[in-house]
Amino acid sequence: MKKEDIHFGDWQRMLLGDVPGGFYWEVVLRIAVIYLILMVSMRLMGKRMASQLSRNEMIAMVSLAAAIGVPLQAPDRGILAAVIIAAVVIFIQQTMARLATRNQRLESITQGNLSILITDSRLDLPQMEVTGITREKAFSQLRSHGIRHLGEVKRLYFEADGSFTLILNNDGRPGLSILPEADPEFIRQSCRASELLVCRRCGQPFAVTDSACGNCGSDEHIHAVQ
């Protein structure tokens, strides 16, 4: 379309486009066919495509989405190209999945590894920086499981698929509060201060004689809660 053909107020062009009206009946048929293509493709790629996606599965999904856009909107493009692209995407995804189950190194390269964000009630800040998980993101995840302080946490794993796995402590130790400071009334109702000092930044136990946290180097400390 030439630039002189584009002007504001051309509602027919803006709403219906520069295609004959009969094309919209064709669009109905095209979307029905492509819907079937996607349904079959996701069925062939396995049950995980209906749950949380891995990196390879996300790439496959984006590739399928890109493939269907053109034949839906361009009247001069046929559906066969989308079918071929879907077949290639399914083949690559299934091949990578089979190879990954046989080769742990390939699985780590393509899917990533889990990261340990909390170890024995202490934040692993370098690992959190590598994964891009902030303290508040980790705390929010813990609060969604009813956790009030880090003393309740044995491990927090950030899985390769982007999910979190929480393992609780059973010894009742105090720890750094993860409740929002903007809600002091609930903090008073839910927790009580202990004599243990912990690093305000990572939750590492902090001796009175320490000048800095042995885990993260911070010099700020606070009373743990329980």
Side-chain angles (χ1 to χ4, degrees):
M1 180 176 288
K2 299 178 181 179
K3 62 180 181 179
E4 56 266 21
D5 296 330
I6 301 175
H7 56 88
F8 184 75
D10 186 357
W11 300 109
Q12 181 175 349
R13 176 185 58 81
M14 292 172 65
L15 297 176
L16 300 178
D18 191 21
V19 294
F23 175 66
Y24 291 98
W25 291 107
E26 186 178 321
V27 167
V28 175
L29 176 61
R30 286 176 180 240
I31 189 61
V33 174
I34 287 176
Y35 183 89
L36 290 174
I37 292 172
L38 289 176
M39 185 170 62
V40 172
S41 299
M42 293 189 63
R43 180 68 180 86
L44 293 175
M45 285 190 284
K47 293 181 179 179
R48 278 193 51 83
M49 292 298 286
S51 61
Q52 194 159 6
L53 303 181
S54 67
R55 287 185 177 92
N56 289 346
E57 291 154 350
M58 181 64 74
I59 292 170
M61 181 65 73
V62 172
S63 300
L64 288 173
I68 67 173
V70 174
L72 277 180
Q73 301 177 49
D76 59 331
R77 301 295 180 89
I79 298 176
L80 180 60
V83 176
I84 294 173
I85 292 172
V88 172
V89 168
I90 293 170
F91 174 76
I92 294 175
Q93 192 273 337
Q94 292 289 70
T95 301
M96 293 295 294
R98 291 192 184 96
L99 292 176
T101 58
R102 300 172 186 171
N103 188 317
Q104 188 173 0
R105 180 175 175 79
L106 177 63
E107 183 180 19
S108 298
I109 292 173
T110 59
Q111 305 294 334
N113 293 312
L114 69 79
S115 301
I116 306 176
L117 304 183
I118 299 179
T119 304
D120 295 329
S121 309
R122 182 184 68 247
L123 294 173
D124 189 333
L125 295 175
Q127 194 62 241
M128 293 173 67
E129 184 176 354
V130 169
T131 57
I133 301 296
T134 63
R135 289 172 77 253
E136 190 49 45
K137 172 68 175 176
F139 289 172
S140 130
Q141 184 65 32
L142 294 175
R143 288 194 294 266
S144 70
H145 286 82
I147 303 300
R148 298 166 300 164
H149 59 81
L150 291 183
E152 300 178 69
V153 182
K154 183 71 174 177
R155 291 287 190 279
L156 180 64
Y157 297 118
F158 185 44
E159 305 287 354
D161 64 357
S163 62
F164 293 87
T165 299
L166 172 65
I167 299 177
L168 298 177
N169 250 332
N170 295 318
D171 56 7
R173 71 175 70 177
L176 177 68
S177 172
I178 64 169
L179 297 178
E181 295 183 0
D183 194 2
E185 182 62 29
F186 182 67
I187 294 175
R188 285 194 295 270
Q189 294 174 2
S190 306
C191 306
R192 57 186 177 84
S194 70
E195 296 182 356
L196 176 68
L197 292 175
V198 293
C199 175
R200 192 180 193 124
R201 189 169 173 225
C202 71
Q204 167 88 357
F206 205 108
V208 178
T209 56
D210 291 341
S211 58
C213 173
N215 181 49
C216 69
S218 173
D219 59 358
E220 294 185 73
H221 57 272
I222 192 173
H223 281 282
V225 299
Q226 57 186 16

